[in-house]
Amino acid sequence: MKPLTEQDIRSSFVNCSKGEAKRLAVPRDLEERPWEDLDFLGWRDPGAPDRSYLVTEREGRLIGVALRFPSSQRGFLHRSMCSLCLTTHRGGGVSLMTARKAGTAGREGNSVGLYMCTDLACSLYVRGKKTPDTGMRIEESLTVEEQIARTTGNLAAFLDKLYV
């Protein structure tokens, strides 16, 4: 992914108003992000524990999505799998992230959801740059490039649902 500026990020959101995009918390460490290892930029809002944001490039343009997830966490022994990168986590490491749909459907209250890594570090898990708290990922026969393609394909399918 190419490095993004705060303005790039704020102008990319498709499922919130311009005012909401102007007020949301953008990461302050944009210069330090490992852009070459990211398929999307994802972060949690430090001021609103039930909100996260995701920005990715799609068909030559940036798409930003405001996400919400429940603040209640699952038990420590419970394991869940992220639907994007297929990384398993225990406890609250995976959350159902919901996004208001774009346009009229979103203003009417319609949303879509997907189980995702709560820290939105899918790109780093797939590349082996970050290890889940369980200490390992499931062994796969796919190459890292194939796993990246699967992850970005899963993300694209989720983004498509925002417009349906």
Side-chain angles (χ1 to χ4, degrees), residues 9-138:
I9 293 167
R10 290 191 189 283
S11 62
S12 71
F13 283 88
V14 298
N15 70 335
C16 64
S17 70
K18 289 182 182 180
E20 289 170 318
K22 185 178 179 180
R23 292 186 301 272
L24 63 84
V26 174
R28 298 194 185 277
D29 64 345
L30 292 175
E31 299 81 31
E32 292 105 43
R33 295 284 173 137
W35 295 105
E36 63 281 352
D37 292 324
L38 297 180
D39 303 307
F40 62 88
L41 173 65
W43 72 99
R44 292 181 68 173
D45 188 330
D50 65 336
R51 292 186 189 170
S52 291
Y53 306 99
L54 183 148
V55 177
T56 191
E57 191 170 334
R58 183 101 197 277
E59 298 174 358
R61 67 177 258 225
L62 287 176
I63 303 289
V65 180
L67 302 162
R68 289 186 176 260
F69 61 96
S71 57
S72 63
Q73 301 295 326
R74 294 184 174 162
F76 184 73
L77 296 177
H78 183 86
R79 291 186 183 267
S80 299
M81 182 180 285
C82 173
S83 297
L84 285 183
C85 65
L86 305 187
T87 299
T88 59
H89 296 272
R90 62 180 169 213
V94 172
S95 295
L96 175 62
M97 304 276 188
T98 58
R100 188 170 61 204
K101 286 189 162 201
T104 305
R107 288 189 293 277
E108 292 174 352
N110 296 318
S111 62
V112 294
L114 188 71
Y115 285 95
M116 300 170 68
C117 295
T118 304
D119 63 3
L120 297 170
C122 300
S123 301
L124 301 178
Y125 291 126
V126 168
R127 288 168 173 80
K129 306 276 181 174
K130 187 171 183 179
T131 305
D133 62 358
T134 58
M136 59 177 244
R137 288 190 71 227
I138 294 174

Side-chain angles (χ1 to χ4, degrees), residues 128-160:
K129 306 276 181 174
K130 187 171 183 179
T131 305
D133 62 358
T134 58
M136 59 177 244
R137 288 190 71 227
I138 294 174
E139 186 79 27
E140 293 195 67
S141 60
L142 298 177
T143 65
V144 171
E145 291 75 24
E146 290 169 327
Q147 291 177 52
I148 292 168
R150 179 186 60 210
T151 300
T152 56
N154 291 341
L155 178 57
F158 174 69
L159 295 174
D160 286 344

